[in-house]
Amino acid sequence: MDNSKLHAFMEAMWEKDILPTLTDYIAIPNKSPAFDPDWEAHGHMGRVVSLFEAWAKARLAPIAGATVEVVQLPKRTPLIFIEIPAASGASNGKASDNASDKTVLLYGHLDKQPEMVGWDEGLGPWTPVRKGDKLYGRGGADDGYAMFAAIAAILALHEQNLPHARAVIVIEACEESGSPDLVHYVEHLSRRIGEPSLVVCLDSGCGNYDQLWVTTSLRGLAAGTLSVRVLTEGVHSGDASGVTPSSFRILRMLLSRIEDEQTGEVLAKDLHAEIPAERIAQAKTAAKALGEEIYTKLPFAGSTKPMNDSLEELVLNRTWRPALAVIGMSGYPEPKNAGNVLLPVTEAKLSMRLPPTVDGAKAAAHMKQIFETGPPYSAEVKFSSEGGQGGWNAPALSPWLADSLNRASAAHFGREPAFMGEGGSIPFMAMLGKRYPQTQFVVTGVL
């Protein structure tokens, strides 16, 4: 491969062809079904699928045998399924012959997180804004770019007449909702997908823009709503306080069963896992490469400090240790509307990030048992679990893939690649890891 030609090809394609389409994509509020139950009636998801489908068909038209198809099972979100046949390139030699009977599966998604708050002045989720070399707006990097990056890479090989394996690109539309539809599509399309020798997932992150970053693991998730009810209706606090226990205080007591509020350490041992020695070594290397950027990249308020002084421990906290977050609450009026009332119920939406090797369903069941057994003051306590998602721990790299990653990072960054787990979940990876235990994985991203 001529790397200078590759660079010129990619720069031109992204600037002139991909970024304008990504800009159009950002402007469409195609929220994932969990955040827009009426997504089908609103039509935003359909607009994005049509936009992506048309772009892919036009770019792949010169490649004989390439197909772009929108597959939609009943009562499911749509999925873009792209097949590109193997290419022998100019060599017609042994390498291309070996590649012709292999399949590479490339993954991404096109649904988006909801609006949320915290946008800077002049920016917004559905308002694409270009500042220098960055494009701002919801979904561009999570995960609108994935299909374009996958197709651009294949077109770059064709531009230099180089061989490549058969490629299958799968772009789903419900990843931000936990990918409930994807397992049905993988089963439905299993014969057409085949058994990939390599999976490339473009939905993860990177530590910096100075080298190639490869994700080695993903945490799982156990989520649910913890409800504490002490009264059937609100009562004036002057009459009830000191007699009726506060539902908020009971909630606080229950959370202390599972988390040390002084340190943030999760106390439930069944939610922990032994960290492999290889991952500890990689965390040390990643911490050295990133330095204080591990936490300075986050928008800390005032003089807030990170949870640990050790950079290595922060990496491990983020990738291999459980962590509890209260991500929503109900039962309370806004402070400006709050009267002197002892409220009857407190509900909190809980998100427990889990180590990659902990069973998500078992973790959720264990949390329910901890919360509901022997509630303080015999209050009505219920943990309504949404189930759990398992994490993923990558198999050991094959020598051929390790060599390829090293050469790629050296060629384009002048540095060796870095390996680190990610704190979030990609349900697709755990599912594929179980389905294709012999497959190699390259999981990376741009955020």
Side-chain angles (χ1 to χ4, degrees):
M1 177 176 288
D2 185 322
N3 285 316
S4 61
K5 286 184 177 180
L6 172 66
H7 182 80
F9 177 86
M10 285 296 191
E11 285 292 319
M13 185 165 189
W14 277 91
E15 189 65 39
K16 298 176 182 178
D17 198 9
I18 295 177
L19 284 173
T21 308
L22 270 182
T23 300
D24 293 340
Y25 161 74
I26 287 172
I28 303 173
N30 59 308
K31 292 184 286 189
S32 198
F35 311 107
D36 183 9
D38 296 324
W39 62 270
E40 195 163 16
H42 290 154
H44 303 308
M45 200 75 77
R47 288 172 58 201
V48 167
V49 169
S50 296
L51 177 70
F52 279 35
E53 178 190 18
W55 188 95
K57 283 184 174 179
R59 287 9 176 236
L60 293 174
I63 299 179
T67 61
V68 179
E69 178 183 353
V70 176
V71 184
Q72 184 157 16
L73 296 173
K75 299 182 179 180
R76 304 284 178 193
T77 51
L79 177 137
I80 298 177
F81 187 76
I82 300 170
E83 292 185 80
I84 302 169
S88 60
S91 65
N92 291 319
K94 185 176 181 181
S96 58
D97 291 340
N98 288 341
S100 65
D101 61 357
K102 291 180 169 55
T103 294
V104 176
L105 176 61
L106 301 104
Y107 165 85
H109 69 88
L110 52 74
D111 56 313
K112 302 177 185 179
Q113 286 273 347
E115 295 88 338
M116 303 183 187
V117 295
W119 291 86
D120 288 343
E121 185 176 354
L123 301 178
W126 321 122
T127 305
V129 174
R130 176 81 178 266
K131 290 186 176 183
D133 61 352
K134 292 185 172 64
L135 175 63
Y136 293 85
R138 175 65 81 226
D142 185 18
D143 189 37
Y145 80 97
M147 184 195 77
F148 301 96
I151 291 176
I154 293 167
L155 293 178
L157 294 173
H158 280 260
E159 198 255 350
Q160 295 195 34
N161 202 18
L162 294 171
H164 66 75
R166 172 179 177 262
V168 173
I169 303 173
V170 171
I171 308 295
E172 66 160 318
C174 64
E175 192 274 343
E176 302 292 5
S177 303
S179 296
D181 297 341
L182 187 59
V183 63
H184 300 280
Y185 281 110
V186 171
E187 187 63 35
H188 177 69
L189 298 166
S190 60
R191 293 184 64 182
R192 293 175 63 183
I193 293 173
E195 185 160 342
S197 56
L198 173 66
V199 171
V200 179
C201 173
L202 300 175
D203 186 30
S204 190
C206 57
N208 55 35
Y209 296 131
D210 302 324
Q211 60 208 117
L212 175 63
W213 285 82
V214 180
T215 299
T216 56
S217 62
L218 298 159
R219 283 193 293 186
L221 181 67
T225 300
L226 179 59
S227 173
V228 178
R229 184 178 295 275
V230 295
L231 296 165
T232 59
E233 59 187 83
V235 179
H236 195 282
S237 62
D239 188 25
S241 62
V243 178
T244 302
S246 160
S247 60
F248 182 85
R249 181 164 66 87
I250 293 174
L251 178 84
R252 187 170 60 182
M253 294 168 67
L254 293 171
L255 293 179
S256 293
R257 292 180 175 184
I258 208 165
E259 178 195 52
D260 184 335
E261 64 269 21
Q262 298 298 320
T263 65
E265 179 186 358
V266 172
L267 302 173
K269 299 303 180 186
D270 286 356
L271 303 184
H272 287 260
E274 183 177 355
I275 306 176
E278 181 185 14
R279 300 297 181 236
I280 294 175
Q282 289 169 342
K284 290 181 180 179
T285 303
K288 185 177 180 180
L290 294 174
E292 293 183 351
E293 191 178 354
I294 292 171
Y295 63 87
T296 57
K297 68 176 183 178
L298 301 173
F300 280 104
S303 56
T304 306
K305 300 181 184 303
M307 290 172 58
N308 200 297
D309 293 332
S310 166
L311 299 179
E312 177 190 338
E313 290 300 306
L314 290 178
V315 172
L316 292 173
N317 280 352
R318 179 179 170 273
T319 58
W320 271 91
R321 294 190 179 117
L324 177 66
V326 178
I327 59 174
M329 292 195 72
S330 66
Y332 289 80
E334 291 187 33
K336 64 182 179 181
N337 298 324
N340 286 318
V341 176
L342 194 70
L343 298 168
V345 62
T346 297
E347 287 188 342
K349 176 71 175 291
L350 307 180
S351 171
M352 179 69 79
R353 291 291 177 180
L354 300 168
T357 54
V358 168
D359 185 288
K362 290 182 179 178
H366 187 52
M367 290 171 64
K368 181 177 180 68
Q369 181 185 32
I370 291 173
F371 288 135
E372 294 185 357
T373 300
Y377 303 100
S378 298
E380 289 185 10
V381 173
K382 184 178 181 181
F383 182 66
S384 302
S385 172
E386 300 176 2
Q389 298 173 5
W392 172 77
N393 188 28
L397 282 178
S398 292
W400 65 266
L401 183 54
D403 178 63
S404 181
L405 293 171
N406 285 329
R407 286 187 289 108
S409 191
H412 299 287
F413 296 101
R415 292 181 61 180
E416 72 285 350
F419 300 85
M420 184 172 69
E422 279 292 333
S425 303
I426 306 177
F428 176 68
M429 298 309 302
M431 180 183 69
L432 272 192
K434 291 179 180 178
R435 190 177 185 97
Y436 306 116
Q438 305 303 316
T439 298
Q440 290 285 288
F441 291 85
V442 173
V443 183
T444 188
V446 298
L447 283 175

